[in-house]
Structures are given as structure tokens and as C-alpha cells.
Amino acid sequence: MRVWDLTVYAVTAKSNPVPALGRVTFEERGTEFHLRLGDTPDPACMSSNHRRNLTKAEKSGVTLHRSVSPVAIAPHVTLMNLSMERRTVRGEEVSANIREFYFRQMLVSGAAEFFQARAPDGTMLSSIFLLRSASGAYYQSAGTSPQGMSLGASPFLIWRAAELLRREGVTCFSIGGTTHDNEGLLRFKNSFGGVPLPFQEQTFSLAHPILRRLRDLFTNLRRLIKRA
């Protein structure tokens, strides 16, 4: 098996935790937030705005549902697209790389599940894709509809998921991170009272330069043929 690109993601206080493994084609730094679940999560740790949204969602009858079925992928992707559209309108840089195949493979392997918030009529309001281990959980991706935003579905979903994960023995719940120029998302994640930790992500090119140029050439050629 030939490896063309290798992505390394590290969460640590060290300044440059990722070793030099080749030519760097992508790099990103920011802050990730970890909720420590050794004790019962205390809503008082959250910001007053998140607490208000949690109460609003509960009074509106929002409920939490879990799923490992591939059927949950489509609504998750739809909600992710809605969230990215809102962030794009606000001028934030977002990635359009939504890998449905990745979601499916993680579900099949038993390494992930969906936590989703629904309205009383069954409408999907918010969705989180979590990677799981015996003692840890990682918020890989999420999305929320405009209705879900108005009902406080996202803070509700994260907080109730944390409570369930703690009961199942999870001691650390990473709610993900973002780069420092994304102030809105940083503020949202930081408001859950988690521990902020710096992260570094780098992608290395491991293929021979000639092979990479040939691959890029064929990729561009296929795009031109599709447009024709």
C-alpha cells in the first residue's frame, strides 16, 4: 500500500509536537477543549447563555437520541451543511470536505455513534458524530438547524451527551477545537467550562514529487472532462 499523504494531529502544551515527516502541505494550530467527566457534570460550569439555552431546550421538549445506524448519516450531513452556510455568511473559513464514507466506516467498525437532538414532532434539530473509546469520546463533527439554534439544541445536546458518557465510564470528552481566528466558535466551545489545550495539525506529502505531479495532472484532467 502506497501512502501519499499523512496527517498528524497532536494535542499538547509543547510548542511543536508534530515531528518533521516530510514536505508540509497543510498546517493548522488552535485550541481544543476537554470536558473532564470524573465527577457529575455541573451546569454551573457553563456560561449563563449556555445554561439558558439548556433550560429553553428542555422546556421546549427537545430530546436526545443515539444511533449507530448509517441512516443517521444523511440528516447529520444536512445539518452540517446548514451550519457551514451560516459560518460562511459570517465570513468564517469552513471546510466543505464532508466524508460520508468516513462516517459509514467508523460506524461499521464500532468506533463511533451519533448523538442527535429532536423536537417533539421528531424533527432533527442538532447532530454530533462522536468517536468513542472505553474512557474517551471525541466530538468529530456537528451541525444544527436554524430551528435548533433558536431552541438551544446544540448546548443541550453537548451537555446531555456528557452526562450519558460519564455514566458509561468516559472520563474525558473532547468537544473539539478550532483555530484562533474563529472567535465565535472558540467562545462557544470555551463556554462549556472545559480545559483548553493547544493543538497542531500537519499534513505531509510522502509521495515522490514526480508521482504527485502526475496525480495532480490526472485529477485536473478528470475535472475538465466532467465539465465538458
Side-chain angles (χ1 to χ4, degrees), residues 3-70:
V3 177
W4 290 75
D5 301 287
L6 175 66
T7 298
V8 181
Y9 186 94
V11 181
T12 176
K14 294 182 180 179
S15 58
N16 291 290
V18 179
L21 300 174
R23 183 170 66 88
V24 177
T25 59
F26 173 82
E27 180 174 13
E28 193 169 73
R29 294 173 184 263
T31 300
E32 186 171 295
F33 299 90
H34 291 190
L35 302 183
R36 305 301 190 190
L37 304 182
D39 299 318
T40 302
D42 182 3
C45 295
M46 291 194 293
S47 68
S48 59
N49 187 55
H50 278 354
R51 292 198 302 273
R52 283 194 297 270
N53 280 320
L54 176 60
T55 301
K56 182 192 295 185
E58 291 174 336
K59 289 183 176 180
S60 301
V62 177
T63 53
L64 183 150
H65 299 262
R66 303 170 70 170
S67 177
V68 293
S69 170

Side-chain angles (χ1 to χ4, degrees), residues 86-195:
R86 286 195 301 272
R87 292 172 59 191
T88 300
V89 170
R90 293 197 297 262
E92 300 175 14
E93 291 188 10
V94 299
S95 171
N97 183 23
I98 299 177
R99 299 168 292 177
E100 294 187 39
F101 177 77
Y102 171 81
F103 296 143
R104 189 175 299 274
Q105 294 304 306
M106 290 297 101
L107 292 173
V108 170
S109 69
E113 67 175 313
F114 288 104
F115 280 71
Q116 298 175 322
R118 295 181 184 175
D121 63 359
T123 301
M124 192 81 71
L125 302 172
S126 186
S127 178
I128 299 174
F129 187 66
L130 285 183
L131 302 181
R132 291 291 310 272
S133 70
S135 61
Y138 182 79
Y139 173 122
Q140 192 272 339
S141 58
T144 303
S145 70
Q147 182 186 4
M149 293 283 290
S150 67
L151 293 177
S154 184
F156 164 86
L157 186 55
I158 292 173
W159 197 255
R160 293 303 174 223
E163 291 180 329
L164 284 173
L165 292 169
R166 184 194 65 81
R167 293 181 200 141
E168 296 174 0
V170 172
T171 57
C172 182
F173 175 22
S174 169
I175 57 173
T178 186
T179 52
H180 296 150
D181 58 344
N182 195 337
E183 295 180 2
L185 192 54
L186 273 174
R187 186 166 53 250
F188 174 82
K189 291 179 180 290
N190 189 40
S191 295
F192 285 96
V195 178

